[in-house]
């Protein structure tokens, strides 16, 4: 951030990137969110979690939602999935209002959401069985999706026998098997270590390239957002509002080498500035060392 | 290795204490078992008297110049030595029962096991589905749980007379007492277990298109099954504790009848033998159920890695 690049460098798009965004805008709208608000009563009185969220997602677009903790990004995705209700505004999927969860919206959760009593294959078959597919059809289709995420060999394993990254890959396959219009992902790689996470990001982009699926992805990792997204929706907290929608100028196809490129750094810097504003808040953690502390060890027993 | 040793030790230690109290004469032995009555009129060989009493009788006889009584230190009749219980355990299966309507120990036990089985089975038939429903549906919980909370504080044995009046004097009221003692706890425990199911699993299944009865049968029930199984094991132990009360109602029967009969004739070795068998039966069946549980639910988080 110390370099003297103009602050709005992230707004400059190359010709190819601009053309790509133009093409995306031409595509049909999958998800439309208009004036979405969420209020709920808590012990501290009424809380406004979300206010006036507007968002349009086009077919096969990859949108990331990012924001500080408490900005309501999880609430937003839960409302989109139909798991929570909203207080105002509307959510339209293919022009029809969303009521409750449905097969047209797949969801991948942060925590492990695989059914532990089912094998990997039966987990993936679950959605198909709920749709009334015959066992045999569901099975062969599930195996195809497992191959797609590279876990065909583990069809008969149980989730607890898999690593964290593998489990999330199964969760993705399980959500995709219903061929949802949009795949909602709530910090799906948040619990993984850095290395596995990087692999999973590449894997997800690969899946997205090959399948007709639109992705709305929630994260708190700025690099992840810039690396994956076409557009990044930045939320601010208390109440959760849209701060800015950033069109990521990093050209596709993406690769980890772009992390050091000028577009990537400019976008990341902009996100950083939005989410961690330069002025330190009053109750910053940095004040902790100056706090007066009671000495709990011997006076002469110094560590530094 | 050390775990197994501790396991064995937890059984061996109490037995060692029992042996010490029984076989080391100066540890407790507050009485004397008379071997020779001597000049005392009321003493007979085999009788047990307090040591003080015995000593004063010995002193008295010496004063009068009569033969003093002789005896060995003994524990009270209600604490037989381990070997006596072991012998009783053996003879219980080999010696025919006394009396016209006397029953073999294993006959009594089998009767008790049947009472437990039917009581627990009937209770589970109602309690488990009701508990799962109450746990999954807040509406059902609000409708059902307040009354059950009230009812579970009513002591099951208090319904004994009522049960006899309604169901007769044979096995009916006994099974009813076990049902009353188990069912109400069961509903609450199962409902609680159901509520503890990871909400992510339910939400994930809803985004995949599951709802209503199918959600219940395909997600909630399999999701809680390992915990439900554990609950049932604990509740089965609960049912056992009501057995003794239940069998005293109406015509006494089963293992309780056996124990009270033997105690009446002061055959305490038989009483202990019966108690040991009940313990072994309960412990053994629970151990088998635990082993079975590990086979049935290989994915269960509490058994994985064990």
């Amino acid at each position: 951030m110390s370099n003297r690049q103009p602050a709005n460098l992230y707004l400059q798009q190359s010709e190819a990137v601009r053309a790509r965004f133009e093409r995306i805008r031409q595509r049909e709208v999958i998800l439309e969110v208009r004036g979405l608000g969420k209020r709920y009563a808590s012990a501290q009185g009424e809380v406004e979690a979300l206010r006036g969220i507007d968002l349009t997602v086009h077919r096969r677009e990859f949108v990331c939602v990012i924001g500080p903790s408490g900005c309501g990004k999880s609430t937003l995705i839960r409302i989109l999935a139909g798991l929570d209700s909203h207080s105002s505004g509307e959510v339209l999927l293919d022009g029809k209002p969303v009521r409750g969860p449905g097969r047209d919206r797949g969801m991948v959760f942060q925590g492990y959401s695989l059914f532990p009593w089912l094998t990997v294959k039966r987990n993936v078959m679950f959605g198909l069985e709920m749709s009334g597919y015959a066992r045999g059809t569901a099975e062969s289709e599930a195996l195809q999706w497992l191959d797609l995420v590279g876990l065909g060999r583990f069809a008969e394993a149980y989730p607890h026998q898999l690593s964290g990254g593998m489990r999330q890959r199964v969760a993705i396959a399980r959500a995709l098997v219903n061929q949802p219009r949009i795949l909602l992902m709530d910090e799906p790689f948040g619990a993984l270590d850095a290395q596995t996470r990087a692999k999973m990001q590449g894997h997800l982009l690969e899946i997205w390239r090959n399948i007709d699926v639109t992705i709305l992805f929630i994260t708190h990792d700025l690099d992840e957002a810039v690396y994956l997204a076409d557009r990044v929706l930045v939320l601010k907290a208390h109440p959760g509002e849209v701060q800015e929608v950033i069109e990521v100028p990093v050209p596709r196809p993406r690769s980890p080498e772009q992390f050091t490129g000028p577009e990537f750094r400019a976008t990341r810097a902009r996100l950083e500035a939005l989410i961690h504003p330069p002025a330190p808040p009053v109750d910053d953690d940095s004040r902790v060392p100056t706090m007066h502390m009671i000495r709990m060890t011997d006076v002469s027993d110094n560590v530094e | 290795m050390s775990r197994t040793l501790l396991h064995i030790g937890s059984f061996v230690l109490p037995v060692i204490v029992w042996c010490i109290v029984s076989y080391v004469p100066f540890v407790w032995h507050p009485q004397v078992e008379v071997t020779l009555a001597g000049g005392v009129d009321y003493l007979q060989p085999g009788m047990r008297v307090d040591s003080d009493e015995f000593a004063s009788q010995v002193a008295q006889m010496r004063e009068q110049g009569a033969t003093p009584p002789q005896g060995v230190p003994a524990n009270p009749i209600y604490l037989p030595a381990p070997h006596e219980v072991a012998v009783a355990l053996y003879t219980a299966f080999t010696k025919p029962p006394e009396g016209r309507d006397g029953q073999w120990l294993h006959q009594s036990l089998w009767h008790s096991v049947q009472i437990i089985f039917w009581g627990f089975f009937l209770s589970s038939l109602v309690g488990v589905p009701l508990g799962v429903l109450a746990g999954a549906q807040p509406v059902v919980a609000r409708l059902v749980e307040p009354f059950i909370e009230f009812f579970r504080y009513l002591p099951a044995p208090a319904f004994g007379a009522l049960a006899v009046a309604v169901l007769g004097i044979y096995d009916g009221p006994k099974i009813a007492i076990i049902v009353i003692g188990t069912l109400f706890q069961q509903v609450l425990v199962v409902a609680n277990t159901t509520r503890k199911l990871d909400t992510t699993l339910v939400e994930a299944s809803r985004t995949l298109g599951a709802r209503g009865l199918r959600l219940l049968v395909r997600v909630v029930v399999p999701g809680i099954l390992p915990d439900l199984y554990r609950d049932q094991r604990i509740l089965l132990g609960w049912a056992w504790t009501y057995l003794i009360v239940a069998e005293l109602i109406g015509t006494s029967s089963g293992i309780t009848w056996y124990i009270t009969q033997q105690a009446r004739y002061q055959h305490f070795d038989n009483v202990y033998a019966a108690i040991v068998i009940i313990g072994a039966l309960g412990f053994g069946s629970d151990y088998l159920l635990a082993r079975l549980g590990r086979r049935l639910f290989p994915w269960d988080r509490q058994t994985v890695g064990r």
Side-chain angles (χ1 to χ4, degrees):
Chain A
M1 280 203 286
S2 56
N3 54 18
R4 266 170 274 119
Q5 290 173 343
N8 57 358
L9 186 72
Y10 73 97
L11 293 174
Q12 295 172 8
Q13 295 171 354
S14 69
E15 204 49 51
V17 171
R18 191 172 307 133
R20 193 180 125 71
F21 275 115
E22 202 50 54
R23 283 201 306 279
I24 289 176
R25 277 192 286 272
Q26 298 298 315
R27 293 187 202 140
E28 73 215 82
V29 172
I30 297 280
L31 178 77
E32 193 169 8
V33 178
R34 281 199 224 124
L36 187 76
K38 168 78 177 173
R39 294 166 160 278
Y40 61 91
S42 78
Q44 288 82 37
E46 191 166 80
V47 177
E48 188 169 21
L50 292 173
R51 179 196 284 172
I53 307 280
D54 291 310
L55 172 68
T56 306
V57 182
H58 297 266
R59 191 174 72 81
R60 294 198 75 184
E61 199 178 3
F62 200 129
V63 176
C64 277
V65 180
I66 202 163
S69 57
C71 70
K73 46 190 194 287
S74 275
T75 312
L76 173 65
I77 206 164
R78 287 176 58 83
I79 290 173
L80 298 183
L83 296 172
D84 275 350
S85 62
H86 52 277
S87 329
S88 56
E90 54 183 349
V91 178
L92 302 173
L93 190 87
D94 289 326
K96 289 188 283 289
V98 159
R99 279 193 198 84
R103 283 188 272 270
D104 47 6
R105 283 149 291 138
M107 178 119 168
V108 178
F109 296 80
Q110 174 175 17
Y112 298 131
S113 61
L114 296 181
F115 306 125
W117 60 91
L118 296 179
T119 60
V120 164
K121 183 178 75 187
R122 295 291 312 278
N123 259 285
V124 178
M125 283 164 67
F126 187 87
L128 296 170
E129 286 175 14
M130 288 298 125
S131 316
Y133 277 70
R135 191 75 170 261
T137 329
E139 187 169 346
S140 61
E141 229 171 284
L143 288 173
Q144 269 178 27
W145 286 94
L146 272 177
D147 279 335
L148 182 95
V149 297
L151 290 175
R153 289 188 301 127
F154 294 91
E156 299 301 332
Y158 281 91
H160 70 85
Q161 296 166 315
L162 304 184
S163 69
M166 285 155 90
R167 288 188 213 182
Q168 287 305 65
R169 270 148 75 188
V170 177
I172 292 170
R174 186 179 65 170
L176 287 174
V177 79
N178 275 342
Q179 308 208 327
R181 297 291 284 164
I182 188 163
L183 182 63
L184 306 167
M185 306 184 83
D186 187 2
E187 300 200 30
F189 310 147
L192 305 178
D193 62 271
Q195 239 179 339
T196 314
R197 184 190 300 202
K199 261 190 234 163
M200 292 293 291
Q201 289 163 354
H203 210 84
L204 180 62
L205 284 178
E206 195 60 41
I207 291 170
W208 173 66
R209 258 193 291 270
N210 291 306
I211 292 164
D212 176 9
V213 69
T214 311
I215 298 182
L216 189 86
F217 188 102
I218 287 194
T219 179
H220 62 260
D221 181 338
L222 306 183
D223 289 318
E224 187 169 68
V226 179
Y227 180 50
L228 295 177
D230 289 317
R231 286 188 296 152
V232 179
L233 184 79
V234 186
L235 296 182
K236 72 166 199 54
H238 313 296
E241 280 181 301
V242 179
Q243 208 169 4
E244 188 173 343
V245 182
I246 294 175
E247 293 187 342
V248 179
V250 184
R252 295 211 185 252
R254 302 269 168 84
S255 68
E257 290 82 65
Q258 292 168 317
F259 273 62
T260 47
E263 300 101 339
F264 196 101
R265 274 161 48 208
T267 315
R268 197 192 185 289
R270 176 60 183 169
L271 288 178
E272 184 82 44
L274 286 171
I275 290 175
H276 308 291
V282 191
D283 55 349
D284 195 349
D285 288 345
S286 62
R287 281 195 348 171
V288 170
T290 64
M291 248 169 45
H292 178 70
M293 267 202 172
I294 302 163
R295 181 81 168 191
M296 301 286 278
T297 67
D298 197 275
V299 235
S300 59
D301 186 17
N302 289 316
V303 282
E304 0 181 74
Chain B
M1 182 61 197
S2 64
R3 265 184 55 164
T4 324
L5 277 180
L6 289 173
H7 239 105
I8 296 168
S10 79
F11 285 98
V12 169
L13 278 178
V15 173
I16 289 179
V17 171
W18 185 18
C19 287
I20 291 172
V21 171
S22 300
Y23 298 133
V24 182
F26 52 83
V27 171
W28 189 35
H29 295 73
Q31 296 184 339
V32 172
E33 187 176 348
V34 179
T35 49
L36 188 74
V40 189
D41 298 332
Y42 72 92
L43 286 184
Q44 280 169 6
M47 213 175 147
R48 284 166 205 240
V49 287
D50 287 348
S51 329
D52 300 347
E53 168 76 12
F54 188 77
S56 73
Q57 289 299 337
V58 171
Q60 214 179 324
M61 287 304 113
R62 286 227 174 90
E63 242 168 60
Q64 295 171 4
T67 341
Q70 286 174 18
V72 289
N75 277 329
I77 185 85
Y78 56 78
L79 187 71
H83 74 271
E84 292 169 317
V85 174
V87 168
L89 208 53
Y90 175 72
T91 50
F93 292 100
T94 51
K95 213 178 81 192
E98 296 162 16
R100 198 164 47 82
D101 55 352
Q103 283 205 321
W104 290 81
L105 176 59
H106 64 87
Q107 285 176 314
S108 306
L109 261 177
W110 178 237
H111 190 259
S112 295
V113 168
Q114 281 176 310
I115 298 283
I116 287 273
F117 172 81
W118 285 110
F120 190 70
F121 176 75
L122 291 176
S123 172
S124 299
L125 209 60
V126 180
V128 172
L130 196 60
V132 171
L133 268 181
Q137 286 292 330
V139 181
V140 179
R142 267 174 228 133
L143 187 69
V144 167
E145 285 190 6
F147 175 73
I148 289 179
E149 285 280 3
F150 163 74
F151 207 93
R152 78 184 173 118
Y153 284 104
L154 308 183
F159 290 88
L162 188 67
V164 169
V166 176
L167 296 165
I169 56 167
Y170 297 108
D171 289 350
K174 303 174 200 305
I175 293 170
I177 293 300
I178 290 177
V179 170
I180 291 171
T182 314
L183 175 64
F184 298 96
Q185 313 287 350
Q186 195 170 30
V187 173
L188 296 178
V189 168
V190 172
N192 210 33
T193 295
T194 310
R195 268 183 224 113
K196 278 193 294 192
L197 177 64
D198 190 353
T199 47
T200 312
L201 294 183
V202 176
E203 286 178 346
S205 72
R206 289 176 67 205
T207 63
L208 291 168
R211 66 164 80 86
L213 190 66
R214 263 213 290 195
L215 177 76
L216 200 69
V217 174
R218 295 290 301 271
V219 181
V220 176
V221 171
I224 64 166
L225 214 51
D227 286 324
L228 182 65
Y229 186 79
R230 252 191 295 280
D231 287 348
Q232 289 290 82
R233 269 172 55 203
I234 293 168
L235 285 159
L236 184 60
W238 212 307
W240 270 102
T241 62
Y242 279 104
L243 177 72
I244 302 299
V245 179
E247 286 187 333
L248 289 174
I249 287 165
T251 48
S252 294
S253 68
I255 194 71
T256 311
W257 182 81
Y258 182 87
I259 289 176
T260 46
Q261 282 296 310
Q262 297 301 321
R264 195 165 291 158
Y265 300 125
Q266 298 213 329
H267 293 159
F268 286 103
D269 44 355
N270 286 342
V271 171
Y272 282 92
I275 290 175
V276 166
I277 285 183
I278 295 180
L281 204 61
F283 182 82
S285 58
D286 191 65
Y287 177 78
L288 285 181
L289 288 175
R291 289 287 294 265
L292 183 66
R294 256 172 270 174
R295 293 288 296 274
L296 286 175
F297 315 113
W299 69 85
D300 182 30
R301 64 195 183 289
Q302 287 186 35
T303 52
V304 167
R306 223 183 244 178

